[in-house]
């Protein structure tokens, strides 16, 4: 079992930045690839970014590419999502997720691939 706790969300003006954190506990963090997803009211949960177990491979949704950066610190059992140049359309509840496996593939872009999920943190971007 893996427990995931997100933090770092909040209210920010368009053009601003936020850094989300996802603290993991319960199992060996480096055994898992990590992903970030988001869900806006009335919309389906969508992929944002993913990182391999080692941090050497990453992937992003086209909508955030060049603005968001996913990373991880296995010594701290934590994954991060640095969000820059935020837009109102980035407003959503952001979730981190863990997928057992030391690999990276496009399957990590799909929610069904992940084994564990956090409760999420709200990000609101005002105009």
């Amino acid at each position: 079992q893996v427990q995931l706790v997100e933090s770092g969300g909040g209210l920010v003006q368009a053009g601003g930045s936020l850094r989300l954190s996802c603290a993991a506990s319960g199992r060996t963090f480096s055994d898992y690839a990590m992903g970030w997803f988001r869900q806006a009211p009335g919309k389906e949960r969508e992929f944002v970014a993913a990182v391999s177990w080692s941090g050497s491979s990453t992937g992003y949704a086209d909508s955030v590419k060049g603005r968001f950066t996913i990373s991880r610190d296995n010594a701290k059992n934590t994954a991060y999502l640095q969000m820059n140049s935020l837009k109102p359309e980035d407003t959503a509840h952001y979730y981190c997720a863990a997928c057992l496996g030391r690999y990276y593939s496009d399957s990590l872009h799909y929610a069904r691939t992940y084994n564990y999920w956090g409760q999420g943190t709200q990000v609101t971007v005002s105009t």
Side-chain angles (χ1 to χ4, degrees):
Q1 191 77 6
V2 174
Q3 292 78 43
L4 303 173
V5 178
E6 301 93 335
S7 61
L11 174 64
V12 63
Q13 286 190 326
S17 298
L18 282 174
R19 187 195 197 200
L20 305 184
S21 298
C22 174
S25 62
R27 301 229 10 211
T28 304
F29 184 61
S30 58
D31 284 343
Y32 292 82
M34 299 297 294
W36 286 94
F37 289 75
R38 66 187 182 186
Q39 188 166 17
K43 295 188 177 181
E44 294 187 353
R45 190 170 298 191
E46 65 174 359
F47 168 75
V48 176
V51 62
S52 64
W53 67 275
S54 64
S56 61
S57 298
T58 58
Y60 298 90
D62 288 342
S63 59
V64 307
K65 204 170 291 184
R67 300 188 298 123
F68 291 11
T69 303
I70 189 171
S71 62
R72 65 189 294 160
D73 185 337
N74 287 345
K76 295 183 178 180
N77 292 346
T78 303
Y80 304 97
L81 185 68
Q82 178 67 44
M83 305 186 295
N84 298 330
S85 302
L86 282 162
K87 305 175 181 179
E89 50 264 44
D90 294 319
T91 295
H93 207 70
Y94 283 71
Y95 300 88
C96 73
C99 171
L100 180 63
R102 292 192 164 194
Y103 69 98
Y104 187 90
S105 76
D106 287 349
S107 65
L108 292 172
H109 298 194
Y110 299 93
R112 63 177 180 266
T113 301
Y114 291 82
N115 307 106
Y116 302 101
W117 292 82
Q119 293 300 306
T121 185
Q122 178 66 32
V123 172
T124 303
V125 184
S126 64
T127 55

